């Protein structure tokens, strides 16, 4: 017999999973999607009331457990290694936190190998391949040489498509001060 179970659809709790071990432990979670080998395998634990999670890619969200909600992880290994996470968007192959990361909330990683650099971080964004954000309430644009295995420091252009320095702004720039 060459038939292999392709996935599971839970019509009662509106959960969908496709792939070997994807969403394997999902018992009481609601509105979750896991697509890819081991995507969300531990996230949907028997004791978890996880809601509205989307994991797409091999091992995406594999290590997260507990009652987490509102996460979207897309890409092979995306979010793998995180343990507690809520209201995050992680897009990119191998985009995740440092080893031992415990709590991430309201975070965004966009780019392959982008990373949360602290074990607990809130409202932080890293954009670009190998970009790493190390503080809460922060946005990092691009990689920094020697950080997160980056070989060079990114240049940021505003109004210019070939920046010549770390930040290159073309055109007028205004400032507003309110009291």
């Amino acid at each position: 017999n060459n038939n292999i179970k392709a996935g599971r659809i839970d019509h009662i709790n509106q959960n969908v999973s496709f792939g070997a071990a994807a969403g394997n432990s999902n018992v009481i979670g609601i509105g979750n999607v896991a697509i890819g080998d081991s995507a969300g395998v531990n996230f949907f634990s028997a004791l978890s009331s996880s809601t509205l999670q989307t994991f797409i890619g091999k091992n995406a969200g594999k290590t997260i457990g507990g009652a987490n909600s509102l996460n979207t992880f897309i890409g092979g290994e995306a979010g793998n290694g995180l343990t507690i996470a809520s209201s995050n968007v992680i897009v990119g192959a191998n985009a995740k936190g440092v080893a031992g990361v415990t709590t991430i909330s309201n975070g965004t990683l966009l780019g392959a190998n982008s990373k949360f650099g602290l074990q607990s971080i809130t409202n932080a964004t890293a954009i670009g391949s190998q970009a790493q954000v190390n503080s809460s309430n922060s946005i990092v644009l691009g990689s920094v040489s020697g950080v997160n295995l980056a070989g060079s420091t990114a240049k940021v252009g505003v109004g210019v498509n070939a920046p010549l320095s770390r930040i290159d702004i073309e055109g007028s720039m205004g400032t507003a001060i309110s009291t």
Side-chain angles (χ1 to χ4, degrees), residues 8 11 25 91 114 117 119 125 139 146 163 174 178:
R8 292 180 290 283
H11 295 287
S25 300
V91 178
S114 55
Q119 291 187 338
T125 298
I139 297 173
S178 60

Side-chain angles (χ1 to χ4, degrees), residues 8-130:
R8 292 180 290 283
I9 298 175
D10 172 0
H11 295 287
I12 295 171
N13 292 326
Q14 298 90 40
N15 296 302
V16 177
S17 56
F18 291 96
N24 199 41
S25 300
N26 190 1
V27 176
I28 62 173
I30 298 172
N32 300 296
V33 176
I35 300 173
D37 178 25
S38 296
V41 67
N42 293 323
F43 193 94
F44 308 119
S45 73
L47 300 175
S48 173
S49 60
S50 60
T51 58
L52 304 175
Q53 313 296 329
T54 302
F55 302 112
I56 301 174
K58 179 180 172 72
N59 294 326
K62 178 180 179 179
T63 56
I64 295 179
N68 300 283
S69 62
L70 306 173
N71 291 301
T72 301
F73 297 170
I74 301 172
E77 305 288 334
N80 191 11
L82 303 180
T83 54
I84 300 172
S86 292
S87 302
N88 297 291
V89 175
I90 298 177
V91 178
N94 207 35
K96 53 188 169 184
V98 296
V101 168
T102 56
T103 305
I104 303 294
S105 63
N106 302 308
T108 305
L109 296 178
L110 299 175
N113 301 304
S114 55
K115 185 184 286 186
F116 296 116
L118 296 177
Q119 291 187 338
S120 180
I121 202 162
T122 302
N123 194 32
T125 298
I127 299 173
S129 178
Q130 295 178 301

